[in-house]
């Protein structure tokens, strides 16, 4: 491998590692912002349920029986949101992303993504994910370039064999 090729390899590896590290470092910040938004949805659903229950009026308004299906649907939604919140919040550093992807509400996650503000990753969790992203990117780069390096090493060996063969056929002077 020539000097230029080695330097380009190092540059691509560094760029991949930097991009993966920066992306992984933001994962914890995104999950945190998602949980804030999810908590707001839980609170709003509880207010909606309370409003529906207070609206029931047996005299001249909707009866409690008529509003029961609406209240039940709101309560189901609250239960789903609270279960997701608790699952993500209680997960440890390594399982939190998996809990997030398993329990995330797509609409809330999309809204969180649209309003996402990158954060400076100074928490231990974010630093761990930054380092993990760097290591995974470097490993992925090495795996990606492996077939190419095998092909290039085969070409280099055949060139060396030709040089040796050509040098033997030259007359000695």
């Amino acid at each position: 491998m020539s000097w230029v090729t080695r330097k380009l390899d190092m540059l691509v590896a560094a760029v991949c590692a930097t991009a993966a590290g920066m992306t992984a470092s933001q994962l914890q910040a995104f999950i945190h912002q998602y949980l804030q938004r999810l908590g707001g949805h839980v609170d709003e659903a509880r207010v909606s349920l309370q409003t529906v229950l207070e609206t029931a009026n047996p005299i001249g308004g909707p009866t409690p029986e008529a509003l029961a299906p609406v209240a039940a649907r709101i309560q189901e939604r609250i239960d789903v949101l609270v279960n997701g919140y608790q699952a993500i919040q209680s997960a440890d550093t390594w399982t939190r992303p998996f809990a997030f992807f398993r329990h995330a509400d797509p609409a809330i996650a999309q809204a969180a993504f649209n309003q996402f503000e990158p954060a400076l990753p100074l928490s231990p969790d974010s630093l761990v994910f930054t380092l993990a992203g760097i290591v995974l990117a470097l490993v992925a780069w090495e795996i990606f370039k492996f077939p190419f390096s095998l092909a290039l090493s085969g070409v280099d060996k055949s060139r060396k064999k030709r040089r040796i063969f050509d040098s033997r056929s030259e007359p000695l002077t």
Side-chain angles (χ1 to χ4, degrees):
M1 194 185 282
S2 73
W3 180 85
V4 172
T5 309
R6 284 193 313 270
K7 293 303 173 187
L8 286 174
D9 175 47
M10 289 171 48
L11 175 65
V12 171
V15 168
C16 290
T18 301
M22 288 171 49
T23 302
S25 74
Q26 295 304 307
L27 182 60
Q28 293 295 325
F30 177 75
I31 292 173
H32 185 306
Q33 289 181 25
Y34 170 81
L35 285 173
Q36 288 178 332
R37 186 173 287 270
L38 181 60
H41 279 266
V42 169
D43 292 342
E44 189 58 35
R46 286 181 176 147
V47 168
S48 295
L49 179 61
Q50 188 64 34
T51 302
V52 166
L53 294 176
E54 289 173 357
T55 304
N57 183 358
I59 303 170
T63 63
E65 294 80 24
L67 293 176
V70 174
R73 287 183 56 199
I74 294 173
Q75 186 60 53
E76 286 175 19
R77 176 74 173 149
I78 291 170
D79 293 342
V80 167
L81 295 176
V82 167
N83 288 339
Y85 185 91
Q86 290 173 344
I88 296 168
Q89 184 69 28
S90 65
D92 64 16
T93 300
W94 293 109
T95 59
R96 186 169 293 133
F98 299 107
F100 168 75
F101 288 117
R102 182 169 182 216
H103 296 283
D105 180 277
I108 299 172
Q110 181 64 46
F113 182 75
N114 291 341
Q115 299 297 315
F116 179 66
E117 294 282 334
L120 185 60
L122 297 178
S123 71
D125 292 350
S126 294
L127 294 175
V128 165
F129 272 84
T130 301
L131 292 174
I134 290 169
V135 169
L136 288 175
L138 290 173
V139 168
W141 173 247
E142 292 298 322
I143 290 170
F144 174 77
K145 73 176 189 175
F146 183 71
F148 300 105
S149 64
L150 281 179
L152 289 175
S153 69
V155 169
D156 288 343
K157 287 179 184 177
S158 67
R159 285 182 185 167
K160 286 179 184 178
K161 285 180 183 177
R162 260 188 270 149
R163 278 191 240 144
I164 292 171
F165 180 74
D166 289 345
S167 67
R168 288 182 183 166
S169 62
E170 293 177 9
L172 295 173
T173 57

